[in-house]
Amino acid sequence: MSQKTRAEGSARERLQAQRDKEKARARRGRQAKVAAVVVAVLAVAAGIAIWATSTGGDKNTPIAAPKGATGGDKPMVTVGRKSAPSTLQVWEDFRCPACKQFETGFRSTVHELQDGGQLRTDYHLALLIDGNMGGKGSLNAGNAALCAQDAGKFRDYHDVLFTNQPGEQQDRYKDKNYLIELAGKVPGLVTQDFRSCVHDGKYNGFVQKSHEAFQSGGFQGTPTVKLNGKDLLGDQGAHMTPQKLKQMVLDANKKK
């Protein structure tokens, strides 16, 4: 077995282990929320007034969407030619370690396929780590990425955020000034419009709506990656490689 093969196998195993870890944490988070609801119900029954707040707002109120993005029930940002014969659907969270592993391992291949007109990628943002660990880094980073979309620089900034992702226990992306500092790595991105967009949370509603779609979609965790509707990182995710992904795209495109 070559060193390259062993390295790819080790990377796949780490990705699968991290996704399993995220699934377990998500289950614990759901259990905690159920417990909180039970406590609330019991408290009401005991005559204790409880006030609840919601970030959902009026579901009929239109949410702001960045240029070129798709709103609706499953908000997304598309990278690559919309006429590309194959579609990669990615659900991810900028604080998610497994998402970083996927992006690091598959980025160059995905970019190659996008730039060659073979593949479009529909990115959907989730707030899984904010919900599991607490904080606002997933939300603030997601909003900042959408602000970059307004400037036509979503992909570049998206990659910067994953490259510089802080440790899972940290919530450095809650710091909007730090997000703007990282944007300096993308030539021409930091403008007054971008700064205002980040500080104002202009697209928070878009990110939250995307997360609602993630929650209602029955997904097991992040990243969830589908090629033309087929899950690539499910039970067989440990066997997926960048080379296999490329071949799958090319084979699918021959049939179209």
Side-chain angles (χ1 to χ4, degrees), residues 9 105 127 158 163 178 221:
L127 303 174
H158 163 278
T163 299
Y178 180 59

Side-chain angles (χ1 to χ4, degrees), residues 151-200:
K153 299 178 183 294
F154 175 87
R155 189 174 86 169
D156 291 343
Y157 187 56
H158 163 278
D159 293 349
V160 165
L161 287 174
F162 277 116
T163 299
N164 293 274
Q165 184 188 80
E168 188 178 14
Q169 300 293 334
Q170 303 174 27
D171 189 23
R172 195 167 186 194
Y173 283 170
K174 71 179 179 181
D175 184 345
K176 296 178 180 180
N177 288 323
Y178 180 59
L179 293 170
I180 293 172
E181 178 185 330
L182 287 179
K185 296 179 179 292
V186 180
L189 177 54
V190 181
T191 63
Q192 187 53 49
D193 285 344
F194 177 79
R195 293 176 187 273
S196 298
C197 182
V198 172
H199 280 298
D200 294 345

Side-chain angles (χ1 to χ4, degrees), residues 86-89 119 225-230 232 245 248-249:
S86 284
T87 301
L88 194 68
Q89 186 185 54
L119 180 73
V225 182
K226 295 187 176 183
L227 175 63
N228 299 324
K230 180 180 179 179
L232 297 184
L245 170 61
M248 290 174 68
V249 171

Side-chain angles (χ1 to χ4, degrees), residues 17-207:
Q18 186 63 50
R19 291 186 82 248
D20 291 342
K21 179 181 176 182
E22 295 297 338
K23 290 179 186 178
R25 182 176 290 116
R27 285 195 296 271
R28 291 196 295 272
R30 288 193 295 269
Q31 292 168 353
K33 290 177 182 178
V34 171
V37 170
V38 172
V39 170
V41 170
L42 293 175
V44 171
I48 301 174
I50 292 181
W51 293 85
T53 59
S54 173
T55 58
D58 185 348
K59 293 185 178 180
N60 295 320
T61 301
I63 59 174
K67 296 176 183 177
T70 302
D73 293 334
K74 294 182 179 179
M76 63 184 180
V77 172
T78 297
V79 174
R81 301 175 196 171
K82 293 191 176 182
S83 61
S86 284
T87 301
L88 194 68
Q89 186 185 54
V90 180
W91 297 80
E92 58 187 7
D93 180 331
F94 286 111
R95 290 181 67 191
C96 162
C99 297
K100 178 178 180 178
Q101 290 180 18
F102 170 75
E103 290 294 339
T104 300
F106 288 80
R107 178 181 298 153
S108 61
T109 299
V110 171
H111 283 191
E112 177 187 347
L113 293 168
Q114 289 171 346
D115 295 341
Q118 299 288 331
L119 180 73
R120 60 176 272 184
T121 305
D122 293 338
Y123 289 100
H124 304 264
L125 304 179
L127 303 174
L128 192 64
I129 306 301
D130 279 4
N132 292 342
M133 307 293 292
K136 293 185 177 180
S138 301
L139 175 63
N140 290 351
N143 172 70
L146 297 175
C147 295
Q149 168 68 13
D150 264 345
K153 299 178 183 294
F154 175 87
R155 189 174 86 169
D156 291 343
Y157 187 56
H158 163 278
D159 293 349
V160 165
L161 287 174
F162 277 116
T163 299
N164 293 274
Q165 184 188 80
E168 188 178 14
Q169 300 293 334
Q170 303 174 27
D171 189 23
R172 195 167 186 194
Y173 283 170
K174 71 179 179 181
D175 184 345
K176 296 178 180 180
N177 288 323
Y178 180 59
L179 293 170
I180 293 172
E181 178 185 330
L182 287 179
K185 296 179 179 292
V186 180
L189 177 54
V190 181
T191 63
Q192 187 53 49
D193 285 344
F194 177 79
R195 293 176 187 273
S196 298
C197 182
V198 172
H199 280 298
D200 294 345
K202 182 176 181 179
Y203 298 120
N204 282 357
F206 189 100
V207 181

